[in-house]
Amino acid sequence: MARQGSLKSVSRQKQAQREFMSEQELMTCIEDLCNSKAKEFRMYGYENVTGEQIWACVSENYRRGWPRLNRLVNDIMSLKANRFMNWLMLSVYKDDGQN
């Protein structure tokens, strides 16, 4: 019980000093995450997967706008190969139907 006094609250000055990422920095981080996931899939044997394909698969769910950053990162990092391959097959069928 003696440790209760040792916790310090975050001061308002420290909150005001937070730096936010620019949109370009955010997009670079998202691109890096997608490339990392594509590299993971290539290690599993899916040789031609690109970061752009990963982003297209994940961002298809964001028609109504961007989610919070933690959800976006989770959606990229938790993408399973099975879901990605299903998306890829459907996108091939959609492209065939439009031509």
Tab-separated table of all heavy atoms in Angstrom, residues 26-70:
chain	number	residue	atom	x	y	z
A	26	LEU	N	2.846	8.426	-41.914
A	26	LEU	CA	1.879	7.372	-41.646
A	26	LEU	C	1.771	6.418	-42.830
A	26	LEU	O	1.791	5.198	-42.659
A	26	LEU	CB	0.510	7.969	-41.320
A	26	LEU	CG	-0.616	6.983	-41.076
A	26	LEU	CD1	-0.315	6.112	-39.860
A	26	LEU	CD2	-1.922	7.730	-40.878
A	27	MET	N	1.692	6.947	-44.029
A	27	MET	CA	1.587	6.097	-45.211
A	27	MET	C	2.858	5.270	-45.409
A	27	MET	O	2.785	4.115	-45.837
A	27	MET	CB	1.295	6.942	-46.458
A	27	MET	CG	-0.074	7.606	-46.437
A	27	MET	SD	-1.432	6.472	-46.102
A	27	MET	CE	-1.424	5.460	-47.561
A	28	THR	N	4.009	5.829	-45.063
A	28	THR	CA	5.259	5.079	-45.146
A	28	THR	C	5.252	3.914	-44.169
A	28	THR	O	5.667	2.797	-44.505
A	28	THR	CB	6.465	6.001	-44.877
A	28	THR	OG1	6.468	7.059	-45.844
A	28	THR	CG2	7.777	5.248	-44.955
A	29	CYS	N	4.758	4.147	-42.959
A	29	CYS	CA	4.671	3.074	-41.961
A	29	CYS	C	3.709	1.976	-42.407
A	29	CYS	O	4.006	0.788	-42.254
A	29	CYS	CB	4.228	3.636	-40.607
A	29	CYS	SG	5.488	4.605	-39.791
A	30	ILE	N	2.569	2.364	-42.972
A	30	ILE	CA	1.600	1.386	-43.464
A	30	ILE	C	2.199	0.584	-44.618
A	30	ILE	O	2.045	-0.638	-44.687
A	30	ILE	CB	0.290	2.081	-43.885
A	30	ILE	CG1	-0.414	2.634	-42.647
A	30	ILE	CG2	-0.620	1.131	-44.648
A	30	ILE	CD1	-1.593	3.522	-42.950
A	31	GLU	N	2.919	1.266	-45.498
A	31	GLU	CA	3.575	0.579	-46.607
A	31	GLU	C	4.603	-0.427	-46.085
A	31	GLU	O	4.690	-1.559	-46.593
A	31	GLU	CB	4.256	1.604	-47.516
A	31	GLU	CG	4.914	1.007	-48.727
A	31	GLU	CD	5.552	2.066	-49.615
A	31	GLU	OE1	5.384	3.268	-49.367
A	31	GLU	OE2	6.243	1.653	-50.566
A	32	ASP	N	5.358	-0.041	-45.074
A	32	ASP	CA	6.343	-0.956	-44.478
A	32	ASP	C	5.661	-2.176	-43.863
A	32	ASP	O	6.161	-3.297	-43.974
A	32	ASP	CB	7.183	-0.233	-43.424
A	32	ASP	CG	8.139	0.790	-44.020
A	32	ASP	OD1	8.384	0.742	-45.251
A	32	ASP	OD2	8.629	1.646	-43.258
A	33	LEU	N	4.528	-1.956	-43.184
A	33	LEU	CA	3.785	-3.080	-42.602
A	33	LEU	C	3.296	-4.043	-43.687
A	33	LEU	O	3.404	-5.265	-43.542
A	33	LEU	CB	2.590	-2.572	-41.796
A	33	LEU	CG	2.876	-1.966	-40.435
A	33	LEU	CD1	1.620	-1.317	-39.880
A	33	LEU	CD2	3.388	-3.017	-39.480
A	34	CYS	N	2.764	-3.484	-44.759
A	34	CYS	CA	2.268	-4.327	-45.860
A	34	CYS	C	3.404	-5.088	-46.523
A	34	CYS	O	3.251	-6.275	-46.855
A	34	CYS	CB	1.528	-3.472	-46.882
A	34	CYS	SG	-0.029	-2.809	-46.283
A	35	ASN	N	4.538	-4.439	-46.701
A	35	ASN	CA	5.694	-5.126	-47.284
A	35	ASN	C	6.203	-6.219	-46.357
A	35	ASN	O	6.623	-7.285	-46.819
A	35	ASN	CB	6.808	-4.129	-47.598
A	35	ASN	CG	6.473	-3.242	-48.778
A	35	ASN	OD1	5.713	-3.636	-49.661
A	35	ASN	ND2	7.024	-2.057	-48.796
A	36	SER	N	6.147	-5.977	-45.055
A	36	SER	CA	6.549	-6.991	-44.080
A	36	SER	C	5.629	-8.210	-44.147
A	36	SER	O	6.085	-9.356	-44.105
A	36	SER	CB	6.535	-6.389	-42.674
A	36	SER	OG	6.766	-7.367	-41.707
A	37	LYS	N	4.329	-7.966	-44.260
A	37	LYS	CA	3.372	-9.077	-44.355
A	37	LYS	C	3.564	-9.828	-45.678
A	37	LYS	O	3.496	-11.050	-45.712
A	37	LYS	CB	1.940	-8.547	-44.240
A	37	LYS	CG	0.872	-9.612	-44.262
A	37	LYS	CD	1.099	-10.702	-43.246
A	37	LYS	CE	0.461	-10.453	-41.940
A	37	LYS	NZ	0.455	-11.661	-41.071
A	38	ALA	N	3.849	-9.110	-46.763
A	38	ALA	CA	4.112	-9.770	-48.048
A	38	ALA	C	5.369	-10.634	-47.954
A	38	ALA	O	5.399	-11.752	-48.479
A	38	ALA	CB	4.266	-8.718	-49.152
A	39	LYS	N	6.377	-10.143	-47.267
A	39	LYS	CA	7.601	-10.927	-47.068
A	39	LYS	C	7.298	-12.194	-46.269
A	39	LYS	O	7.819	-13.266	-46.571
A	39	LYS	CB	8.636	-10.073	-46.348
A	39	LYS	CG	9.964	-10.730	-46.176
A	39	LYS	CD	10.963	-9.790	-45.516
A	39	LYS	CE	12.290	-10.479	-45.302
A	39	LYS	NZ	13.262	-9.582	-44.640
A	40	GLU	N	6.448	-12.073	-45.253
A	40	GLU	CA	6.043	-13.240	-44.464
A	40	GLU	C	5.359	-14.280	-45.355
A	40	GLU	O	5.657	-15.476	-45.277
A	40	GLU	CB	5.098	-12.808	-43.352
A	40	GLU	CG	4.550	-13.925	-42.502
A	40	GLU	CD	3.513	-13.450	-41.510
A	40	GLU	OE1	3.597	-12.307	-41.027
A	40	GLU	OE2	2.589	-14.234	-41.229
A	41	PHE	N	4.446	-13.826	-46.217
A	41	PHE	CA	3.762	-14.751	-47.119
A	41	PHE	C	4.743	-15.408	-48.086
A	41	PHE	O	4.595	-16.574	-48.426
A	41	PHE	CB	2.651	-14.042	-47.877
A	41	PHE	CG	1.408	-13.783	-47.065
A	41	PHE	CD1	0.350	-13.093	-47.611
A	41	PHE	CD2	1.291	-14.202	-45.757
A	41	PHE	CE1	-0.805	-12.850	-46.886
A	41	PHE	CE2	0.161	-13.967	-45.014
A	41	PHE	CZ	-0.902	-13.286	-45.580
A	42	ARG	N	5.737	-14.645	-48.551
A	42	ARG	CA	6.744	-15.228	-49.446
A	42	ARG	C	7.544	-16.296	-48.725
A	42	ARG	O	7.945	-17.293	-49.332
A	42	ARG	CB	7.643	-14.135	-50.008
A	42	ARG	CG	6.953	-13.293	-51.082
A	42	ARG	CD	7.927	-12.419	-51.844
A	42	ARG	NE	8.575	-11.417	-51.008
A	42	ARG	CZ	8.091	-10.188	-50.794
A	42	ARG	NH1	6.953	-9.816	-51.330
A	42	ARG	NH2	8.753	-9.344	-50.036
A	43	MET	N	7.775	-16.130	-47.422
A	43	MET	CA	8.474	-17.165	-46.658
A	43	MET	C	7.635	-18.430	-46.566
A	43	MET	O	8.170	-19.534	-46.458
A	43	MET	CB	8.799	-16.653	-45.250
A	43	MET	CG	9.922	-15.649	-45.244
A	43	MET	SD	10.397	-14.920	-43.656
A	43	MET	CE	9.625	-15.856	-42.420
A	44	TYR	N	6.303	-18.283	-46.610
A	44	TYR	CA	5.412	-19.446	-46.587
A	44	TYR	C	5.305	-20.120	-47.946
A	44	TYR	O	4.671	-21.156	-48.076
A	44	TYR	CB	4.008	-19.041	-46.140
A	44	TYR	CG	3.898	-18.612	-44.700
A	44	TYR	CD1	2.976	-17.650	-44.341
A	44	TYR	CD2	4.685	-19.158	-43.703
A	44	TYR	CE1	2.847	-17.249	-43.016
A	44	TYR	CE2	4.572	-18.764	-42.390
A	44	TYR	CZ	3.649	-17.807	-42.049
A	44	TYR	OH	3.527	-17.407	-40.753
A	45	GLY	N	5.867	-19.504	-48.988
A	45	GLY	CA	5.846	-20.112	-50.314
A	45	GLY	C	4.971	-19.381	-51.320
A	45	GLY	O	4.913	-19.787	-52.474
A	46	TYR	N	4.282	-18.332	-50.919
A	46	TYR	CA	3.482	-17.533	-51.858
A	46	TYR	C	4.418	-16.503	-52.484
A	46	TYR	O	4.567	-15.391	-51.988
A	46	TYR	CB	2.315	-16.854	-51.139
A	46	TYR	CG	1.380	-17.833	-50.484
A	46	TYR	CD1	1.455	-18.088	-49.114
A	46	TYR	CD2	0.425	-18.500	-51.230
A	46	TYR	CE1	0.586	-18.987	-48.509
A	46	TYR	CE2	-0.446	-19.405	-50.635
A	46	TYR	CZ	-0.356	-19.634	-49.274
A	46	TYR	OH	-1.205	-20.531	-48.684
A	47	GLU	N	5.052	-16.871	-53.597
A	47	GLU	CA	6.199	-16.130	-54.111
A	47	GLU	C	5.904	-14.754	-54.685
A	47	GLU	O	6.745	-13.875	-54.622
A	47	GLU	CB	6.899	-16.977	-55.169
A	47	GLU	CG	7.490	-18.251	-54.606
A	47	GLU	CD	8.113	-19.116	-55.664
A	47	GLU	OE1	8.208	-18.671	-56.818
A	47	GLU	OE2	8.500	-20.237	-55.335
A	48	ASN	N	4.750	-14.527	-55.256
A	48	ASN	CA	4.504	-13.287	-55.990
A	48	ASN	C	3.655	-12.269	-55.240
A	48	ASN	O	3.097	-11.367	-55.854
A	48	ASN	CB	3.856	-13.607	-57.336
A	48	ASN	CG	4.771	-14.450	-58.204
A	48	ASN	OD1	5.976	-14.233	-58.228
A	48	ASN	ND2	4.211	-15.421	-58.884
A	49	VAL	N	3.558	-12.379	-53.938
A	49	VAL	CA	2.745	-11.454	-53.145
A	49	VAL	C	3.495	-10.135	-52.976
A	49	VAL	O	4.683	-10.127	-52.674
A	49	VAL	CB	2.416	-12.057	-51.764
A	49	VAL	CG1	1.624	-11.088	-50.923
A	49	VAL	CG2	1.666	-13.360	-51.929
A	50	THR	N	2.771	-9.031	-53.176
A	50	THR	CA	3.375	-7.706	-53.009
A	50	THR	C	2.675	-6.955	-51.882
A	50	THR	O	1.557	-7.291	-51.487
A	50	THR	CB	3.253	-6.879	-54.300
A	50	THR	OG1	1.864	-6.615	-54.553
A	50	THR	CG2	3.882	-7.592	-55.483
A	51	GLY	N	3.343	-5.922	-51.414
A	51	GLY	CA	2.757	-5.070	-50.389
A	51	GLY	C	1.509	-4.358	-50.890
A	51	GLY	O	0.566	-4.132	-50.134
A	52	GLU	N	1.495	-4.014	-52.178
A	52	GLU	CA	0.322	-3.348	-52.757
A	52	GLU	C	-0.899	-4.263	-52.726
A	52	GLU	O	-2.018	-3.816	-52.471
A	52	GLU	CB	0.605	-2.905	-54.197
A	52	GLU	CG	1.611	-1.786	-54.320
A	52	GLU	CD	3.058	-2.281	-54.317
A	52	GLU	OE1	3.294	-3.498	-54.528
A	52	GLU	OE2	3.949	-1.455	-54.091
A	53	GLN	N	-0.677	-5.552	-52.987
A	53	GLN	CA	-1.780	-6.512	-52.925
A	53	GLN	C	-2.291	-6.669	-51.494
A	53	GLN	O	-3.503	-6.745	-51.281
A	53	GLN	CB	-1.338	-7.871	-53.461
A	53	GLN	CG	-1.097	-7.895	-54.946
A	53	GLN	CD	-0.501	-9.211	-55.396
A	53	GLN	OE1	0.337	-9.785	-54.698
A	53	GLN	NE2	-0.923	-9.679	-56.557
A	54	ILE	N	-1.376	-6.696	-50.541
A	54	ILE	CA	-1.779	-6.791	-49.137
A	54	ILE	C	-2.635	-5.581	-48.777
A	54	ILE	O	-3.703	-5.715	-48.170
A	54	ILE	CB	-0.545	-6.874	-48.206
A	54	ILE	CG1	0.279	-8.127	-48.489
A	54	ILE	CG2	-0.952	-6.779	-46.741
A	54	ILE	CD1	-0.375	-9.433	-48.122
A	55	TRP	N	-2.201	-4.392	-49.173
A	55	TRP	CA	-2.959	-3.180	-48.852
A	55	TRP	C	-4.321	-3.196	-49.542
A	55	TRP	O	-5.337	-2.819	-48.940
A	55	TRP	CB	-2.178	-1.933	-49.225
A	55	TRP	CG	-2.960	-0.695	-49.004
A	55	TRP	CD1	-3.386	0.191	-49.933
A	55	TRP	CD2	-3.461	-0.210	-47.744
A	55	TRP	NE1	-4.110	1.190	-49.340
A	55	TRP	CE2	-4.164	0.970	-47.997
A	55	TRP	CE3	-3.370	-0.676	-46.438
A	55	TRP	CZ2	-4.782	1.700	-46.988
A	55	TRP	CZ3	-3.982	0.059	-45.430
A	55	TRP	CH2	-4.677	1.226	-45.714
A	56	ALA	N	-4.374	-3.633	-50.781
A	56	ALA	CA	-5.654	-3.692	-51.491
A	56	ALA	C	-6.614	-4.641	-50.789
A	56	ALA	O	-7.808	-4.347	-50.657
A	56	ALA	CB	-5.431	-4.118	-52.939
A	57	CYS	N	-6.113	-5.759	-50.319
A	57	CYS	CA	-6.943	-6.742	-49.609
A	57	CYS	C	-7.464	-6.165	-48.301
A	57	CYS	O	-8.658	-6.246	-47.997
A	57	CYS	CB	-6.132	-8.004	-49.348
A	57	CYS	SG	-6.984	-9.259	-48.373
A	58	VAL	N	-6.588	-5.574	-47.523
A	58	VAL	CA	-6.973	-5.057	-46.208
A	58	VAL	C	-7.863	-3.819	-46.339
A	58	VAL	O	-8.876	-3.683	-45.646
A	58	VAL	CB	-5.717	-4.732	-45.366
A	58	VAL	CG1	-6.079	-3.991	-44.102
A	58	VAL	CG2	-4.971	-6.007	-45.031
A	59	SER	N	-7.510	-2.915	-47.236
A	59	SER	CA	-8.235	-1.645	-47.336
A	59	SER	C	-9.595	-1.782	-48.000
A	59	SER	O	-10.395	-0.843	-47.974
A	59	SER	CB	-7.398	-0.610	-48.085
A	59	SER	OG	-7.205	-1.010	-49.421
A	60	GLU	N	-9.887	-2.938	-48.578
A	60	GLU	CA	-11.190	-3.157	-49.192
A	60	GLU	C	-12.313	-3.011	-48.157
A	60	GLU	O	-13.431	-2.642	-48.492
A	60	GLU	CB	-11.226	-4.544	-49.828
A	60	GLU	CG	-12.446	-4.803	-50.666
A	60	GLU	CD	-12.349	-6.125	-51.383
A	60	GLU	OE1	-12.315	-7.157	-50.692
A	60	GLU	OE2	-12.313	-6.112	-52.628
A	61	ASN	N	-12.003	-3.273	-46.900
A	61	ASN	CA	-12.999	-3.163	-45.835
A	61	ASN	C	-13.220	-1.731	-45.358
A	61	ASN	O	-14.072	-1.496	-44.510
A	61	ASN	CB	-12.575	-4.012	-44.631
A	61	ASN	CG	-12.484	-5.471	-44.979
A	61	ASN	OD1	-13.242	-5.967	-45.795
A	61	ASN	ND2	-11.552	-6.168	-44.360
A	62	TYR	N	-12.466	-0.782	-45.870
A	62	TYR	CA	-12.528	0.596	-45.370
A	62	TYR	C	-13.266	1.520	-46.334
A	62	TYR	O	-12.874	2.649	-46.559
A	62	TYR	CB	-11.116	1.132	-45.123
A	62	TYR	CG	-10.261	0.274	-44.241
A	62	TYR	CD1	-8.895	0.199	-44.433
A	62	TYR	CD2	-10.814	-0.473	-43.214
A	62	TYR	CE1	-8.100	-0.596	-43.624
A	62	TYR	CE2	-10.025	-1.271	-42.408
A	62	TYR	CZ	-8.670	-1.323	-42.621
A	62	TYR	OH	-7.893	-2.102	-41.815
A	63	ARG	N	-14.353	1.044	-46.888
A	63	ARG	CA	-15.126	1.860	-47.842
A	63	ARG	C	-15.758	3.071	-47.173
A	63	ARG	O	-15.945	4.101	-47.796
A	63	ARG	CB	-16.205	1.008	-48.490
A	63	ARG	CG	-15.631	-0.071	-49.378
A	63	ARG	CD	-16.740	-0.865	-50.060
A	63	ARG	NE	-16.162	-2.071	-50.622
A	63	ARG	CZ	-16.563	-3.287	-50.340
A	63	ARG	NH1	-17.570	-3.471	-49.521
A	63	ARG	NH2	-15.979	-4.327	-50.887
A	64	ARG	N	-16.079	2.935	-45.909
A	64	ARG	CA	-16.752	4.028	-45.187
A	64	ARG	C	-15.785	4.986	-44.514
A	64	ARG	O	-16.201	5.914	-43.850
A	64	ARG	CB	-17.681	3.453	-44.133
A	64	ARG	CG	-18.805	2.665	-44.718
A	64	ARG	CD	-19.732	2.206	-43.652
A	64	ARG	NE	-20.787	1.394	-44.231
A	64	ARG	CZ	-21.744	0.849	-43.549
A	64	ARG	NH1	-21.800	1.013	-42.248
A	64	ARG	NH2	-22.662	0.132	-44.149
A	65	GLY	N	-14.509	4.757	-44.665
A	65	GLY	CA	-13.510	5.618	-44.054
A	65	GLY	C	-12.471	4.804	-43.309
A	65	GLY	O	-12.623	3.604	-43.120
A	66	TRP	N	-11.430	5.468	-42.915
A	66	TRP	CA	-10.321	4.809	-42.253
A	66	TRP	C	-10.665	4.489	-40.812
A	66	TRP	O	-11.254	5.315	-40.113
A	66	TRP	CB	-9.102	5.719	-42.284
A	66	TRP	CG	-8.438	5.753	-43.615
A	66	TRP	CD1	-9.024	6.039	-44.820
A	66	TRP	CD2	-7.080	5.489	-43.886
A	66	TRP	NE1	-8.101	5.971	-45.817
A	66	TRP	CE2	-6.891	5.636	-45.265
A	66	TRP	CE3	-6.003	5.149	-43.102
A	66	TRP	CZ2	-5.663	5.442	-45.874
A	66	TRP	CZ3	-4.775	4.969	-43.710
A	66	TRP	CH2	-4.619	5.115	-45.088
A	67	PRO	N	-10.255	3.308	-40.354
A	67	PRO	CA	-10.473	2.963	-38.942
A	67	PRO	C	-9.389	3.613	-38.076
A	67	PRO	O	-8.471	4.264	-38.593
A	67	PRO	CB	-10.326	1.448	-38.941
A	67	PRO	CG	-9.305	1.200	-39.992
A	67	PRO	CD	-9.611	2.220	-41.069
A	68	ARG	N	-9.476	3.374	-36.793
A	68	ARG	CA	-8.431	3.838	-35.895
A	68	ARG	C	-7.133	3.118	-36.235
A	68	ARG	O	-7.146	2.019	-36.786
A	68	ARG	CB	-8.832	3.570	-34.458
A	68	ARG	CG	-10.056	4.388	-34.046
A	68	ARG	CD	-10.427	4.086	-32.642
A	68	ARG	NE	-9.323	4.489	-31.771
A	68	ARG	CZ	-9.475	5.096	-30.614
A	68	ARG	NH1	-10.668	5.335	-30.166
A	68	ARG	NH2	-8.437	5.417	-29.890
A	69	LEU	N	-6.024	3.729	-35.899
A	69	LEU	CA	-4.719	3.206	-36.277
A	69	LEU	C	-4.474	1.814	-35.713
A	69	LEU	O	-3.933	0.948	-36.405
A	69	LEU	CB	-3.616	4.168	-35.816
A	69	LEU	CG	-2.193	3.808	-36.212
A	69	LEU	CD1	-2.069	3.687	-37.732
A	69	LEU	CD2	-1.217	4.836	-35.674
A	70	ASN	N	-4.885	1.573	-34.479
A	70	ASN	CA	-4.640	0.246	-33.893
A	70	ASN	C	-5.396	-0.841	-34.649
A	70	ASN	O	-4.882	-1.940	-34.836
A	70	ASN	CB	-4.984	0.219	-32.404
A	70	ASN	CG	-6.432	0.525	-32.125
A	70	ASN	OD1	-7.069	1.279	-32.847
A	70	ASN	ND2	-6.960	-0.042	-31.059
